[in-house]
């Protein structure tokens, strides 16, 4: 009798675990972004210390680009041009550091095999919505044009399964990974600094598409419910993406 009870309890536990895993087919997931500079003096000081590295990274990028295009290169003029760009960037950062932050939200809407991905700033839709077909794997915009979702290159990933939290009723553990940003327009910036994410992930949601994170390699293993981004070089600031709304079946 005792043996039968143990078997029944184990069976119920397995069934509960299976039922707990969700593959979203309807509803909406919303993340809200918070960019926080918690030490302004340290932030501006670290940016100033980072300037030589950024200037070199930008010069290397422009040098290769112009060399590839077969253009003549005046290194003295290039150095002056790069210094002006970085100095202007520093000035701009010092001006906007005290400006009120915009409210940025990231959405995934689920409707059977279709996922609609978009984000808003102060409630206004930015760019077009991206329509993802989970069956055909086609990704298009609202004009039915094919688009590509850019993935960051994961450099190193470490799991901390002993560090756990419960977020929105889901059991989560911590994962930390460094990555190379996919933003081609600012390659020099990503080459000059480290990009690190601390994420709290659950294995109770199965979906290869996320409102914020695009790395399929990561999403096949687990689903992030909170994200913190920072750099070891650019100190005194961090960006957090928190789950604001979860209404999914």
């Amino acid at each position: 009798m005792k043996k039968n009870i143990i078997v029944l309890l184990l069976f119920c536990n397995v069934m509960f675990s299976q039922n707990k895993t969700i593959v979203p087919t309807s509803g909406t997931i919303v993340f809200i972004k918070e960019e926080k500079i918690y030490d302004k003096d340290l932030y501006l000081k670290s940016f100033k210390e980072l300037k030589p590295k950024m200037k070199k990274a930008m010069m290397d990028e422009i040098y290769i680009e112009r060399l590839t295009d077969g253009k003549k290169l005046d290194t003295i003029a290039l150095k002056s041009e790069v210094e002006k760009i970085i100095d202007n960037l520093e000035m701009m950062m010092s001006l906007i550091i005290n400006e009120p932050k915009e409210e940025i939200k990231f959405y995934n809407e689920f409707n059977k095999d279709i996922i609609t991905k978009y984000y808003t700033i102060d409630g206004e839709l930015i760019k077009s919505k991206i329509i993802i077909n989970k069956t055909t794997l086609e990704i298009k915009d609202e004009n039915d044009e094919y688009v590509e979702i850019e993935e960051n290159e994961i450099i190193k990933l470490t799991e901390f399964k002993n560090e756990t939290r419960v977020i929105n009723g889901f059991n989560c553990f911590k994962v930390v990974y460094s990555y190379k940003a996919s933003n081609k327009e600012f390659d020099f910036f990503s080459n000059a600094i480290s990009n690190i994410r601390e994420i709290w992930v659950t294995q109770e949601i199965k979906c290869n598409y996320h409102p914020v994170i695009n790395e399929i390699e990561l999403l096949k293993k687990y689903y992030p419910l909170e994200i913190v981004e920072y750099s070891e070089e650019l100190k005194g600031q961090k960006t957090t993406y928190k789950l604001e709304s979860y209404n999914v079946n």
Side-chain angles (χ1 to χ4, degrees), residues 157-206:
L157 183 146
T158 307
E159 297 178 344
F160 297 88
K161 292 192 173 181
N162 60 322
E163 296 187 42
T164 61
R165 285 174 56 190
V166 175
I167 299 176
N168 207 69
F170 292 100
N171 296 310
C172 299
F173 62 90
K174 188 168 82 170
V175 172
V176 178
Y177 72 99
S178 57
Y179 65 94
K180 177 175 168 53
S182 63
N183 193 332
K184 302 292 190 297
E185 189 177 350
F186 296 102
D187 261 357
F188 80 91
F189 198 75
S190 61
N191 289 334
I193 67 172
S194 59
N195 299 288
I196 300 170
R197 278 178 174 160
E198 289 185 6
I199 57 177
W200 290 90
V201 302
T202 183
Q203 293 179 311
E204 296 167 0
I205 300 174
K206 299 295 181 184

Side-chain angles (χ1 to χ4, degrees), residues 2 12 59 88 107 113 122 151 197 207 234:
K2 184 177 180 181
C12 290
M59 282 190 68
N88 286 338
Y107 297 76
D113 287 335
D122 291 335
E151 296 184 44
R197 278 178 174 160
C207 184
L234 197 54

Side-chain angles (χ1 to χ4, degrees), residues 23-29 106-118 129-142 147 149 205-212 214 216 219 223 248-249:
V23 179
T25 57
S26 65
T28 305
I29 296 176
F106 295 79
Y107 297 76
N108 268 14
E109 293 178 353
F110 297 88
N111 184 10
K112 296 180 181 178
D113 287 335
I114 302 299
I115 301 173
T116 304
K117 181 184 175 87
Y118 60 97
K129 294 183 178 182
I130 295 175
I131 316 299
I132 302 164
N133 189 313
K134 291 192 295 181
T135 302
T136 64
L137 302 182
E138 290 181 336
I139 304 175
K140 297 182 178 181
D141 61 19
E142 292 176 301
V147 297
I149 297 178
I205 300 174
K206 299 295 181 184
C207 184
N208 289 347
Y209 302 96
H210 188 275
V212 178
N214 296 327
I216 299 292
L219 295 172
Y223 201 82
V248 167
N249 295 309

Side-chain angles (χ1 to χ4, degrees), residues 37-247:
I37 298 174
Y38 54 86
D39 189 326
K40 295 176 183 178
D41 292 337
L42 180 61
Y43 179 68
L44 293 174
K45 179 176 179 289
S46 65
F47 184 87
K48 190 177 290 292
E49 292 172 349
L50 190 59
K51 283 172 64 177
K53 190 176 179 181
M54 291 176 62
K55 288 175 182 178
K56 183 181 183 307
M58 179 176 268
M59 282 190 68
D60 291 344
E61 183 184 336
I62 295 174
Y63 178 81
I64 293 171
E65 181 184 301
R66 293 185 182 176
L67 201 64
T68 304
D69 293 340
K71 296 178 180 177
K72 290 184 179 180
L73 194 67
D74 183 338
T75 53
I76 296 175
L78 174 60
K79 184 178 179 182
S80 176
E81 178 185 341
V82 167
E83 285 178 349
K84 284 180 182 177
I85 293 172
I86 300 299
D87 288 344
N88 286 338
L89 180 60
E90 181 182 19
M91 186 183 300
M92 183 178 68
M93 291 177 71
S94 63
L95 290 174
I96 67 173
I97 198 170
N98 294 314
E99 289 185 358
K101 300 299 181 183
E102 300 164 314
E103 184 182 74
I104 304 176
K105 295 184 181 182
F106 295 79
Y107 297 76
N108 268 14
E109 293 178 353
F110 297 88
N111 184 10
K112 296 180 181 178
D113 287 335
I114 302 299
I115 301 173
T116 304
K117 181 184 175 87
Y118 60 97
Y119 71 99
T120 62
I121 295 180
D122 291 335
E124 182 179 346
L125 176 67
I126 304 301
K127 297 184 179 179
S128 357
K129 294 183 178 182
I130 295 175
I131 316 299
I132 302 164
N133 189 313
K134 291 192 295 181
T135 302
T136 64
L137 302 182
E138 290 181 336
I139 304 175
K140 297 182 178 181
D141 61 19
E142 292 176 301
N143 299 317
D144 208 33
E145 298 286 336
Y146 285 97
V147 297
E148 180 182 355
I149 297 178
E150 293 185 341
E151 296 184 44
N152 297 318
E153 178 189 349
I154 297 175
I155 298 170
K156 181 182 178 182
L157 183 146
T158 307
E159 297 178 344
F160 297 88
K161 292 192 173 181
N162 60 322
E163 296 187 42
T164 61
R165 285 174 56 190
V166 175
I167 299 176
N168 207 69
F170 292 100
N171 296 310
C172 299
F173 62 90
K174 188 168 82 170
V175 172
V176 178
Y177 72 99
S178 57
Y179 65 94
K180 177 175 168 53
S182 63
N183 193 332
K184 302 292 190 297
E185 189 177 350
F186 296 102
D187 261 357
F188 80 91
F189 198 75
S190 61
N191 289 334
I193 67 172
S194 59
N195 299 288
I196 300 170
R197 278 178 174 160
E198 289 185 6
I199 57 177
W200 290 90
V201 302
T202 183
Q203 293 179 311
E204 296 167 0
I205 300 174
K206 299 295 181 184
C207 184
N208 289 347
Y209 302 96
H210 188 275
V212 178
I213 287 179
N214 296 327
E215 288 73 75
I216 299 292
E217 173 190 348
L218 187 150
L219 295 172
K220 283 180 178 178
K221 297 173 67 176
Y222 22 64
Y223 201 82
L225 291 181
E226 187 170 308
I227 303 146
V228 178
E229 295 177 340
Y230 60 91
S231 165
E232 291 178 345
E233 293 85 3
L234 197 54
K235 300 178 176 67
Q237 60 86 32
K238 66 178 180 179
T239 301
T240 304
Y241 301 84
K242 290 188 177 181
L243 183 66
E244 185 191 62
S245 173
Y246 180 90
N247 182 20

